Amino acid sequence: MEREGMLDGPGGARLTYALLDGWDPCLVFLPGFASDMQGTKALSLRDFCAERGQAMLRLDYSGHGASAGCFEDGTISAWTADAEAVIREAAPERRLILAGSSMGGWIALLLALRLKGRVAGLVGIAAAPDFTEELIRPSLTEEQKARLKRDGVLMQPNPYGSPTPITARLLEDGARHLLLRGPIPLSCPIRLLHGQRDEDVPWQTSLRIAELAESEDVRVTLVKDGDHRLSRPQDLALLLETIRDVSDDCSSGGEADAG
């Protein structure tokens, strides 16, 4: 049975989450930039876990979905802290599998570094660590850089919906959480799924994560005709199979990341 909950987040915004009761490891789904816990992947995973009897936690960062707060006030620091607060409130002491989509993959990696000892596995779906520095900043024109400096915000086209605000605060904060510049000290199992027709995050990013992660149990699965969202039926089937394999390995005696 899934129950909804709310708590006051570390930044003051009221955060919303949904916890499905079940066995550990508890799957935590971390949505992408300007996405929420009602997306196709999140709901597919919820239904999958419900059928298996596995615990799952879905959540909305501040300024996203049903949570309060202003999206433009958000940063990687703030959204990571939101997710950590929800985990500590809703799933204290539980063993976890962190599954992050796009920006959620960055947040999953940051959380795994913070929650060592509890993280039994990590799954990235088109994971996008460092996207503020590696993807957004280099794409800005001189005119956009000037406008960002003047106004503090840019409205960027979004192929999935309304234009998305990009703030100077987001870029400045993101630069303080870069992970692709050196070793990533995680030893838990890591699974990375990435479409090779991803027009938002290069699939080579998943190869870089695999190279930098200190874990010896890392697998990258490339979907040649897959896009950024990986939400087609065959993509979802691959995701569910990946979650099943990692969960079953962990529940049958695998150890959480001890750092």
Side-chain angles (χ1 to χ4, degrees), residues 69-83:
C70 178
F71 180 84
E72 289 87 341
D73 292 337
T75 60
I76 300 302
S77 291
W79 293 327
T80 302
D82 288 343

Side-chain angles (χ1 to χ4, degrees), residues 19 24-28 55 57 83-98 108 111-122 186-189 246 250-251 254-259:
L19 178 66
D24 282 357
C26 177
L27 176 65
V28 181
L57 176 62
E84 183 177 5
V86 171
I87 290 170
R88 294 191 183 280
E89 169 78 14
E93 309 306 322
R94 301 194 76 150
R95 298 175 73 224
L96 309 169
I97 291 177
L98 305 176
L111 284 172
L113 292 169
R114 294 186 186 188
L115 299 173
K116 284 184 176 181
R118 295 183 57 193
V119 178
L122 186 149
L186 292 175
S187 59
C188 64
V246 175
C250 294
S251 63
E255 292 299 319
D257 193 337

Side-chain angles (χ1 to χ4, degrees), residues 48 230 232-244:
F48 173 75
L230 288 180
R232 302 170 302 173
Q234 61 267 40
D235 301 327
L236 295 173
L238 173 62
L239 174 59
L240 300 184
E241 179 185 356
T242 302
I243 295 295
R244 177 190 292 111

Side-chain angles (χ1 to χ4, degrees), residues 194-197 222-226:
H194 217 128
Q196 289 188 279
R197 293 182 183 170
L222 299 177
V223 182
K224 188 169 184 177
D225 63 346

Side-chain angles (χ1 to χ4, degrees), residues 27-257:
L27 176 65
V28 181
F29 183 75
L30 300 158
F33 187 63
S35 187
D36 58 49
M37 66 176 178
Q38 300 296 338
T40 302
K41 290 187 286 292
L43 296 180
S44 295
L45 287 168
R46 179 200 62 187
D47 294 344
F48 173 75
C49 288
E51 290 177 6
R52 283 164 53 84
Q54 183 175 0
M56 181 182 175
L57 176 62
R58 296 180 296 130
L59 60 94
D60 283 335
Y61 317 116
S62 55
H64 290 68
S67 288
C70 178
F71 180 84
E72 289 87 341
D73 292 337
T75 60
I76 300 302
S77 291
W79 293 327
T80 302
D82 288 343
E84 183 177 5
V86 171
I87 290 170
R88 294 191 183 280
E89 169 78 14
E93 309 306 322
R94 301 194 76 150
R95 298 175 73 224
L96 309 169
I97 291 177
L98 305 176
S101 178
S102 193
M103 180 188 77
W106 189 0
I107 290 177
L109 289 164
L110 293 171
L111 284 172
L113 292 169
R114 294 186 186 188
L115 299 173
K116 284 184 176 181
R118 295 183 57 193
V119 178
L122 186 149
V123 177
I125 308 111
D130 303 11
F131 78 90
T132 52
E133 196 72 13
E134 298 218 342
L135 302 179
I136 294 180
R137 197 182 292 277
S139 73
L140 298 177
T141 66
E142 292 303 317
E143 188 276 333
Q144 288 175 319
K145 292 176 183 176
R147 195 180 341 145
L148 188 62
K149 184 176 181 180
R150 182 186 70 238
D151 302 334
V153 64
L154 286 173
M155 299 303 295
Q156 292 287 79
N158 176 8
Y160 310 113
S162 303
T164 303
I166 303 296
T167 66
R169 180 188 298 110
L170 175 71
L171 299 186
E172 292 163 2
D173 178 81
R176 293 193 284 270
H177 297 284
L178 303 179
L179 295 176
L180 299 178
R181 306 295 175 89
I184 303 174
L186 292 175
S187 59
C188 64
I190 298 173
R191 303 291 181 265
L192 302 166
L193 313 180
H194 217 128
Q196 289 188 279
R197 293 182 183 170
D198 189 333
E199 297 183 354
D200 298 305
V201 180
W203 56 266
Q204 290 88 348
T205 301
S206 285
L207 299 183
R208 293 171 66 190
I209 297 169
E211 181 179 8
L212 292 169
E214 294 182 352
S215 173
E216 292 296 317
D217 187 2
V218 181
R219 300 176 197 169
V220 179
T221 301
L222 299 177
V223 182
K224 188 169 184 177
D225 63 346
D227 62 9
H228 181 63
R229 304 186 84 174
L230 288 180
S231 291
R232 302 170 302 173
Q234 61 267 40
D235 301 327
L236 295 173
L238 173 62
L239 174 59
L240 300 184
E241 179 185 356
T242 302
I243 295 295
R244 177 190 292 111
D245 290 347
V246 175
S247 300
D248 290 351
D249 286 349
C250 294
S251 63
S252 64
E255 292 299 319
D257 193 337

